[in-house]
Amino acid sequence: MAASTDEPSAFHAFERAGWESIPQAYQGAFGTLTTQAVGPLLDAARVGTGVRVLDVATGPGYVAAAAARRGAAVVGVDFSAAMLAEARRHHPEVEFQAGDAEALPFPDATFDAVVMSFGLLHLGRPDQALAEAHRVLRPGGRVGFTVWARPDEAVAFGIVLGAVQRHGRLDVPLPTGPPFFRFSDPAESRRVLVGLGFKEPDVVVVPQIWKLASGDALFEVMRDGTVRTAGLLRAQTPEALQAIRAEIREATLPYRRGGGIELPMPAVLSSAVRP
Ligand SMILES: C[S@@+](CC[C@H](N)C(=O)[O-])C[C@H]1O[C@@H](n2cnc3c(N)ncnc32)[C@H](O)[C@@H]1O
């Protein structure tokens, strides 16, 4: 979780290897969560019938499939062959292609809308990916992307990172990526979008609730269904990990509802227009 923008290539390779090995665990953990912001994301990018849409970092293809259901002409791209296999298996009606968000395999001005759901925070070069979105959009086209809100609002991250900070180490030897919560800051999103030549930047918060069985389940999905946070947990000593797990269990108690827990996990949704 270190905040540095060097080593983008090492970080890219680390993320790629990570996603290749967790497509099922990711869907089991996050499938009911990231899909809550899909409607607002597609609305922000004005996705409807006949709109040409690119879903970048499509993962299991949730956004691409929802765009197709709206009657859009959509392509989903991802750099993970394992994720693409899952996307194709679940959504055989949708077109998926291998591709890197930082070097999109499409000509200029190909799409009316480019969307990215919880992808930007996984990139070594997020500014480059947004420049690529700008390049493949036609004039008047719209970009839209979601990221997690800051950890004081996206409670699961607050609980897990707080537990690591108190019982383990945040400065573990992993390839350093850009700050995980950089685009959670509306001012930073607007600054980057305008700097890349977009106009009318808009940033809104989309409420989401993560329903899990227990605090132990939260620990396990972070350990098994993520890349950067999983790397952080794997790098702790066994003693620290035990203490982290216990604190997560304890810290989720105030969120008990019915037989499980319900954690607020808002998304920050940014959108803008290519002039
Ligand atoms: C958190 S998942 C998001 C999946 C999906 N969009 C969703 O909302 O659930 C991140 C996805 O980004 C992909 N990804 C990460 N870096 C990428 C890159 N440089 N180019 C293309 N895909 C990338 C991963 O393979 C993974 O499928």
Side-chain angles (χ1 to χ4, degrees):
M1 291 279 164
S4 157
T5 48
D6 57 4
E7 298 188 16
S9 299
F11 181 73
H12 185 276
F14 165 73
E15 282 273 334
R16 188 171 192 159
W19 290 110
E20 283 295 357
S21 61
I22 59 162
Q24 260 113 20
Y26 175 76
Q27 290 170 83
F30 287 92
T32 58
L33 178 58
T34 66
T35 46
Q36 295 173 37
V38 169
L41 174 60
L42 293 178
D43 289 346
R46 307 284 195 275
V47 172
T49 307
V51 173
R52 294 168 301 168
V53 181
L54 178 64
D55 177 25
V56 181
T58 191
Y62 305 129
V63 178
R69 285 196 294 276
R70 288 187 178 203
V74 61
V75 183
V77 294
D78 203 285
F79 72 175
S80 159
M83 278 291 191
L84 286 170
E86 284 299 301
R88 291 186 179 114
R89 190 165 70 82
H90 289 292
H91 311 292
E93 74 289 2
V94 177
E95 182 183 342
F96 293 103
Q97 272 191 42
D100 194 318
E102 298 169 3
L104 291 171
F106 301 100
D108 297 358
T110 306
F111 296 98
D112 304 308
V114 175
V115 288
M116 190 172 355
S117 163
F118 300 98
L120 202 60
L121 56 152
H122 295 288
L123 305 180
R125 302 176 185 87
D127 305 66
Q128 171 65 22
L130 291 174
E132 279 291 89
H134 188 281
R135 181 184 66 75
V136 302
L137 276 171
R138 60 142 175 100
R142 285 177 182 265
V143 68
F145 61 86
T146 45
V147 296
W148 303 110
R150 291 183 338 190
D152 52 329
E153 296 165 338
V155 162
F157 284 111
I159 288 174
V160 173
L161 296 176
V164 173
Q165 191 167 26
R166 273 182 290 281
H167 300 286
R169 296 180 52 188
L170 288 169
D171 59 337
V172 296
L174 291 175
T176 49
F180 194 77
F181 296 104
R182 177 179 168 202
F183 290 93
S184 319
D185 174 4
E188 176 67 355
S189 270
R190 283 196 200 95
R191 187 190 70 75
V192 172
L193 286 165
V194 169
L196 289 168
F198 287 102
K199 64 175 188 181
E200 300 172 28
D202 188 37
V203 185
V204 297
V205 174
V206 180
Q208 303 188 115
I209 298 288
W210 205 6
K211 295 185 181 181
L212 293 167
S214 63
D216 277 314
L218 172 60
F219 174 84
E220 285 160 15
V221 299
M222 288 293 193
R223 182 193 61 190
D224 302 335
T226 68
V227 175
R228 216 188 313 196
T229 310
L232 179 66
L233 291 173
R234 270 197 303 272
Q236 308 301 320
T237 64
E239 297 73 29
L241 209 54
Q242 214 174 3
I244 289 164
R245 185 174 187 138
E247 178 169 324
I248 292 173
R249 201 180 293 135
E250 186 73 21
T252 52
L253 290 179
Y255 300 94
R256 287 183 75 85
R257 303 282 181 282
I261 57 171
E262 295 189 8
L263 304 171
M265 285 289 278
V268 178
L269 163 58
S270 300
S271 60
V273 178
R274 187 207 159 145

